[in-house]
Amino acid sequence: EMASPAQQDDVIGCGINTTLSNKGTENTTVVFFTRNGQLLGSRRVNLPDGGFYPTVGLHSEGEKVEVRLSGRWEPPEDKNKETLSRMIPSVKLRMSEDTLHYDELTRRLRCSSKSSSVGAFQDLGHPITDQFNYYEVKLLDMGLEGAIGIGIANNQYPLDRMPGWDDGSAAYHCDDGVVFKGLSNKSTFSPARRNEIIGCGVKLLPGNSKRAKVFFTRDGILFEEYETSIPTGGFYPTIGMVSAGEEVEFNFDVKWPPQNFRSERLLVEGDLLKYVGDNVGSVGAYQFLGRPISPGFSYYEVTIKGYGMKGEIAIGLARRDYPLSSMPGWLDGSIGWHCDDGGLYNQEATEAKEFRTPAREGDRIGCGVDFKEYKAKTRNTQDENSESELVVFFTINGQKFVKETIPIPRGGLFPTVGLHSIGELVQINFSATWEGATKPVDRSLGDTRHERVRIEGDCVSYVRNAYDDVGGIQLGTFLGSDEPSQNYFEVTIVDVGERGAIGIGIAVKHYPLDCLPGWNEESIAYHCDDGFLYRQGERVDIDALPSSANDIIGCGIQDRKSNPTSDLLTVFFTRNGKKIHQSEFSVCHGLQLFPTVCMCTSGEKVKINARVLPPVGQSQAFFAQSERVLIEGNKVSYVPDEDMNVGGVQLSRAITKKDSSFKIKVINFGVEGAIGVGLAPKGYPLDNEPGWLPGSVGYHCDDGCLYEGAGIGHRIHRPAQRGDETIIGCGIDYHQTKTRTDNKVVVFFTHNGNKIPTDSVLVHKPITGLLFPTVGMNSPEEAVEVITDIQQTVVF
């Protein structure tokens, strides 16, 4: 059976005629095809074991189709009636039809209410499942009020109520930035703006059909996640609107989490890249977008698993928008070493620089940046307007063989790999290290004992069993050594779960992990759900409040070494840097005590920091977080670890219109003066200087460079010198920020009270709308004083 070829915008349908199938012979069925609602033909076919599945094939560059899997077909009732398609979606819609209008073709929903009454829309054709657990909505128009609620609800949710207001629902409300989680729970973030994309999804918990985690995203960034009960009948995408003109566009085809890379003409399976090409033999390329090259991520490697027909494999760095139809090194803003000819290509190179023989199958090729050389070069350059360059080097099987400079593009450089012949296969390793390259921070918890918990780096999550037994972890390093960082540990509460029944304390080795610490002899702990201290089975009221998500609970031993023969210890607890209680604790002489954390309800999750110094002096939650520093009041001193990783602090008070700036005074320049001052979102990883990672900005004293989230800076001021009086200020210019129509703020820096002249420094607002003062340090003896309460006159 033949028909004329299809044209662009034709709608082709395929289905099974269940009526005719039932009249046929056993194990056969009738398959039919339609075009724009008109039947093309049908055929009875044998039904294979397991049944039929919708299947679509494409075979030339540029082909693109939209697939709708939820459909049914009805023959046209009137052949003279013009129709685009008779594929009638089986999507079931519930909505307030008097105020809302939905276009199924464009997937746009618009509100025409004239009374500011709530109208709700619910798509019952997309129930939340393992396969479909996330959707996004683009805010096309905010209307009169911008009162758009985006979320999920049960299939009986009232259409005159905004999702999130009642139990069995959850939603982010664009007008006030609040995530409503039912009748009695909510979290506040910043309001949304036109053209932003809000996502809502559900993570179904394995082995638990009654609980799930609901999460929300904004422009691809996760900003809220919490655990809740699944209502009878499950969750469905639900939108609420209030005012005329509000309009959104749905995207049900998006996945979460999004890919942290982009690729063309490659098959990407985990860390393996395979060239698949096209019918004209174009280059295939891969670019990692997880983070730009920076001192905290300065090297990666590629192992050649399959040389292919030609071995046209290139490894290098490129700008973020680099065309993936070109090998790294062929175009501006890129550099690459090519395995087939052994040549280095740099910045629109038409000819390679020959440096070594070509690579072979099994070789391990590395690419990195020498940031020590970069720092030294920028520090010694007097011209503040000189073009910044990076020294890029390449290795083969661990041996460095060539290096070359490349100008730094705005936005930084990203790992990029190109392949160009059939059979080429490589394996990428972003955790690789090279002697001389910056080593990643070891965030593992080392040797531990644990039961009914899942450990991911320094994060520990409770894993529920059929009996709801307590689960927990005990670290392998005991408290009570000469080192201050071995007398204290901290636990950040990532998620309180159902009840927040988390016990944090110390116990003897082999303490039973089916009991919260403090319940039994030779253990003591603070319990987050009720705020009580539990000491050797005794419950003690310490006049403390229960803890919630993002609280940081610390536990330590005070001065055990000063009286090593005593059986009486002083154990203290802190919350968010402030001591909440200390208690005498009797333990048999010679027994060692180990950090112990236990949990007992679903969803509970914590992050353990076993390498932290106890708070000292008057800090009292002045600092929200710190790593590899000693804090004495407002003085912060760098305490290096064996790998010389970055350390720093982040203040607990965000930059606001009332407190629009802060400053630091350099007390000790240290060996290099590698002190970074800037702003970052809450929870910024402090093994990175401010400005190295996206969403942050920082001025670095050692090289006078501004870092705008790309890991690489450009000179805006003379580097600080040892012996100089150096006071660096940083803040938000709210006068300029309010004139902007995008979601960015204008940041300024000062040196000894004078504004450092530079082009507008722009930083994306995080979802909370708040940026926090952040200071980083990275060489011995560095020390600064952090100041926020002195009113300084800034000369603009």
Side-chain angles (χ1 to χ4, degrees):
E1 297 181 16
M2 300 292 293
S4 59
Q7 304 294 323
Q8 186 165 315
D9 296 326
D10 277 352
V11 179
I12 308 301
C14 176
I16 289 178
N17 190 322
T18 55
T19 303
L20 293 177
S21 296
N22 294 334
K23 297 179 180 179
T25 59
E26 188 176 3
N27 296 325
T28 68
T29 189
V30 175
V31 179
F32 68 92
F33 296 86
T34 67
R35 181 166 67 197
N36 299 330
Q38 302 294 326
L39 183 67
L40 290 175
S42 63
R43 176 167 295 181
R44 183 176 296 278
V45 296
N46 292 325
L47 188 65
D49 293 339
F52 279 122
Y53 291 81
T55 306
V56 179
L58 297 90
H59 196 203
S60 70
E61 187 171 14
E63 293 172 348
K64 183 178 181 181
V65 300
E66 179 184 358
V67 180
R68 291 192 178 184
L69 297 177
S70 54
R72 59 188 174 88
W73 178 76
E74 291 181 357
E77 298 175 1
D78 183 359
K79 293 185 178 180
N80 296 321
K81 186 175 180 180
E82 185 176 349
T83 175
L84 173 66
S85 172
R86 287 290 178 174
M87 281 296 295
I88 303 174
S90 62
V91 174
K92 300 176 182 177
L93 306 178
R94 293 179 64 232
M95 65 177 174
S96 307
E97 295 185 358
D98 55 335
T99 58
L100 300 181
H101 304 279
Y102 181 62
D103 186 329
E104 293 185 27
L105 193 61
T106 62
R107 292 182 176 178
R108 291 186 175 185
L109 179 69
R110 185 172 180 82
C111 180
S112 59
S113 173
K114 298 180 180 179
S115 61
S116 294
S117 59
V118 173
F121 168 94
Q122 193 168 55
D123 184 352
L124 300 182
H126 285 93
I128 299 296
T129 64
D130 284 328
Q131 289 74 36
F132 173 75
N133 67 343
Y134 178 72
Y135 77 102
E136 288 182 343
V137 168
K138 183 175 183 179
L139 304 176
L140 300 179
D141 198 320
M142 303 304 290
L144 296 176
E145 300 180 22
I148 304 170
I150 301 165
I152 53 175
N154 62 69
N155 58 5
Q156 300 297 321
Y157 196 79
L159 296 180
D160 60 351
R161 300 282 292 171
M162 288 287 276
W165 281 356
D166 298 331
D167 289 338
S169 70
Y172 169 76
H173 289 199
C174 300
D175 55 337
D176 54 14
V178 175
V179 172
F180 289 87
K181 310 172 186 178
L183 287 171
S184 58
N185 198 1
K186 64 181 180 180
S187 301
T188 302
F189 303 91
S190 60
R193 298 187 180 188
R194 184 173 178 265
N195 290 326
E196 287 188 320
I197 297 175
I198 306 299
C200 177
V202 176
K203 297 178 183 178
L204 303 178
L205 301 181
N208 190 339
S209 60
K210 297 182 178 180
R211 304 284 296 178
K213 285 190 175 181
V214 178
F215 63 93
F216 294 89
T217 67
R218 185 168 177 177
D219 287 338
I221 299 175
L222 181 72
F223 70 90
E224 173 68 326
E225 182 179 61
Y226 71 98
E227 187 172 323
T228 188
S229 297
I230 300 175
T232 302
F235 283 121
Y236 294 83
T238 307
I239 301 288
M241 292 180 168
V242 171
S243 66
E246 294 169 351
E247 185 175 8
V248 301
E249 181 178 87
F250 289 89
N251 184 357
F252 295 119
D253 303 318
V254 67
K255 302 293 184 182
W256 182 267
Q259 293 179 338
N260 61 359
F261 66 89
R262 61 190 186 101
S263 65
E264 290 184 11
R265 289 168 289 282
L266 299 181
L267 176 64
V268 181
E269 294 183 339
D271 57 358
L272 293 174
L273 310 180
K274 181 180 180 180
Y275 179 75
V276 294
D278 54 22
N279 59 345
V280 293
S282 301
V283 168
Y286 168 99
Q287 187 174 59
F288 177 69
L289 301 176
R291 61 185 297 187
I293 288 292
S294 69
F297 173 56
S298 59
Y299 180 76
Y300 78 103
E301 288 183 343
V302 167
T303 300
I304 302 175
K305 294 291 187 179
Y307 196 77
M309 296 176 60
K310 301 179 181 179
E312 294 181 342
I313 300 169
I315 174 174
L317 302 173
R319 64 181 191 267
R320 189 184 183 104
D321 59 348
Y322 191 77
L324 297 184
S325 58
S326 297
M327 289 285 204
W330 282 2
L331 301 179
D332 180 59
S334 72
I335 184 171
W337 187 76
H338 293 210
C339 300
D340 57 331
D341 59 7
L344 179 70
Y345 291 76
N346 186 7
Q347 296 278 80
E348 299 183 283
T350 56
E351 295 183 2
K353 299 180 179 179
E354 300 288 344
F355 281 100
R356 61 160 291 115
T357 56
R360 298 176 297 178
E361 189 168 312
D363 282 344
R364 192 177 77 252
I365 314 301
C367 176
V369 171
D370 189 337
F371 278 96
K372 291 182 180 179
E373 187 170 340
Y374 167 71
K375 285 278 189 180
K377 183 177 180 180
T378 53
R379 191 181 302 126
N380 296 327
T381 300
Q382 299 300 317
D383 183 6
E384 296 178 8
N385 298 315
S386 63
E387 185 178 29
S388 297
E389 291 185 333
L390 281 181
V391 178
V392 180
F393 66 89
F394 294 87
T395 68
I396 185 164
N397 300 323
Q399 300 297 314
K400 185 174 178 181
F401 67 89
V402 67
K403 66 179 182 180
E404 181 79 357
T405 59
I406 178 175
I408 303 171
R410 198 65 178 261
L413 292 165
F414 295 81
T416 305
V417 178
L419 307 178
H420 199 196
S421 73
I422 297 298
E424 293 172 352
L425 176 69
V426 301
Q427 183 176 33
I428 298 183
N429 182 5
F430 292 121
S431 301
T433 58
W434 176 78
E435 185 179 356
T438 305
K439 296 181 180 179
V441 175
D442 180 11
R443 294 215 173 262
S444 67
L445 297 174
D447 294 332
T448 64
R449 284 195 313 117
H450 56 274
E451 295 180 11
R452 287 173 294 285
V453 294
R454 182 185 300 109
I455 301 173
E456 300 171 298
D458 54 0
C459 289
V460 182
S461 307
Y462 175 68
V463 178
R464 192 177 201 167
N465 66 4
Y467 304 101
D468 291 337
D469 290 329
V470 172
I473 183 172
Q474 187 175 68
L475 304 190
T477 304
F478 70 92
L479 298 190
S481 71
D482 290 319
E483 293 294 329
S485 61
Q486 297 299 319
N487 286 326
Y488 178 75
F489 74 103
E490 286 184 339
V491 174
T492 301
I493 302 172
V494 178
D495 196 326
V496 295
E498 289 182 6
R499 292 196 291 113
I502 304 169
I504 301 167
I506 53 177
V508 293
K509 195 172 185 179
H510 302 304
Y511 182 83
L513 296 180
D514 57 355
C515 296
L516 290 178
W519 282 359
N520 294 339
E521 295 293 321
E522 298 170 329
S523 68
I524 183 172
Y526 164 82
H527 288 199
C528 300
D529 56 339
D530 57 13
F532 279 76
L533 178 75
Y534 288 77
R535 182 178 56 204
Q536 309 206 94
E538 174 191 10
R539 185 182 186 214
V540 181
D541 187 352
I542 59 174
D543 196 27
L545 295 173
S547 294
S548 56
N550 298 319
D551 278 347
I552 301 174
I553 306 301
C555 175
I557 296 176
Q558 188 170 304
D559 298 330
R560 183 170 194 178
K561 286 291 181 179
S562 63
N563 191 1
T565 61
S566 174
D567 294 340
L568 199 63
L569 301 177
T570 300
V571 179
F572 65 92
F573 294 87
T574 66
R575 181 165 63 202
N576 301 326
K578 182 177 180 180
K579 185 183 287 185
I580 56 175
H581 184 73
Q582 71 178 35
S583 175
E584 300 298 324
F585 179 59
S586 179
V587 65
C588 293
H589 175 61
L591 281 180
Q592 295 174 337
L593 296 166
F594 295 79
T596 306
V597 179
C598 293
M599 300 170 271
C600 65
T601 63
S602 287
E604 292 167 351
K605 183 178 181 180
V606 300
K607 182 168 70 172
I608 300 176
N609 187 352
R611 306 176 182 88
V612 64
L613 293 166
V616 178
Q618 304 298 317
S619 59
Q620 295 195 355
F622 182 70
F623 300 105
Q625 59 166 336
S626 63
E627 288 189 18
R628 287 171 290 283
V629 294
L630 176 65
I631 299 174
E632 299 172 285
N634 289 1
K635 179 183 176 182
V636 181
S637 305
Y638 178 62
V639 180
D641 58 13
E642 61 181 10
D643 293 325
M644 288 296 297
N645 290 303
V646 173
V649 295
Q650 186 173 66
L651 275 63
S652 57
R653 186 168 61 183
I655 294 293
T656 63
K657 289 183 179 179
K658 182 179 179 181
D659 300 301
S660 61
S661 66
F662 80 107
K663 59 181 184 284
I664 63 108
K665 181 178 181 180
V666 178
I667 299 175
N668 195 330
F669 190 79
V671 176
E672 296 182 2
I675 301 168
V677 184
L679 303 177
K682 186 176 182 180
Y684 184 80
L686 295 177
D687 54 338
N688 293 272
E689 295 266 13
W692 281 2
L693 298 183
S696 69
V697 63
Y699 170 79
H700 293 196
C701 298
D702 58 336
D703 56 14
C705 285
L706 174 69
Y707 290 74
E708 299 178 88
I712 304 167
H714 60 278
R715 174 71 67 80
I716 62 171
H717 195 265
R718 177 181 65 85
Q721 303 291 328
R722 185 178 286 102
D724 289 350
E725 181 181 24
T726 302
I727 299 175
I728 304 298
C730 176
I732 294 177
D733 187 334
Y734 282 97
H735 178 70
Q736 290 191 43
T737 297
K738 72 179 182 180
T739 64
R740 301 195 62 83
T741 58
D742 53 17
N743 198 38
K744 297 179 180 180
V745 297
V746 180
V747 178
F748 67 87
F749 292 90
T750 64
H751 178 269
N752 295 339
N754 297 311
K755 185 183 177 185
I756 298 176
T758 183
D759 295 335
S760 294
V761 181
L762 304 177
V763 182
H764 277 280
K765 282 185 183 178
I767 188 65
T768 60
L770 300 175
L771 290 165
F772 291 78
T774 305
V775 181
M777 293 183 257
N778 199 24
S779 76
E781 302 178 15
E782 291 171 352
V784 302
E785 180 185 1
V786 181
I787 307 167
T788 62
D789 56 354
I790 295 178
Q791 298 299 318
Q792 179 187 20
T793 301
V794 179
V795 180
F796 287 94

